[in-house]
Amino acid sequence: MAIHKSDQFSQRIRDVIEADWSVRPDRPWPDQPRYEVFRHQLSGKWFGVMMVIAGDKIGLDGPDPAAILNLKGDPLQIRFLLSQPGFRPAWHMNKKHWFTVLLDGTVGIEPIRELIRISHGLTE
């Protein structure tokens, strides 16, 4: 089976998280192997959730699989981000404090790295 571009991009995000915070994802739902949670090492609090979901669940055209990352943010920051390409209201999370980033390359690695840093700090 060919590796999809979003799979490669998602792996790059996993690599960033492991390099910057020494965190590897866990998969708390055995029936959802493509749902990965990134947690603080000591507290266990979530600072990111990576998933592959049907695109129409987050307002994309059709049910094609979409790789996403949910992160925590400041409500004002989230309002701004939602006006930018590659961002959506958080899927399956509190939409005031969480948002979704599409992992399709629309948003670059470095901006996502900064958003992960913010989410990590907000969830300590």
Side-chain angles (χ1 to χ4, degrees), residues 2-88:
I3 296 176
H4 191 272
K5 179 183 173 184
S6 66
D7 291 336
Q8 293 173 337
F9 198 83
S10 296
Q11 185 57 53
R12 289 179 64 199
I13 297 299
R14 283 185 207 91
D15 294 344
V16 163
I17 293 171
E18 185 170 2
D20 290 357
W21 292 280
S22 301
V23 171
R24 298 182 74 158
D26 66 71
R27 293 174 182 85
W29 303 284
D31 62 328
Q32 297 292 342
R34 298 196 73 184
Y35 287 24
E36 302 171 305
V37 175
F38 297 91
R39 304 172 189 262
H40 286 271
Q41 290 179 325
L42 296 177
S43 71
K45 289 183 181 179
W46 299 10
F47 64 90
V49 183
M50 188 179 291
M51 298 170 274
V52 176
I53 62 170
D56 55 2
K57 290 183 177 183
I58 55 170
L60 300 178
D61 293 332
D64 291 341
I68 63 170
L69 177 64
N70 282 350
L71 297 169
K72 192 163 190 179
D74 173 86
L76 290 175
Q77 173 196 37
I78 292 170
R79 194 171 331 155
F80 170 75
L81 291 173
L82 293 180
S83 71
Q84 305 299 308
F87 295 96
R88 296 284 192 270

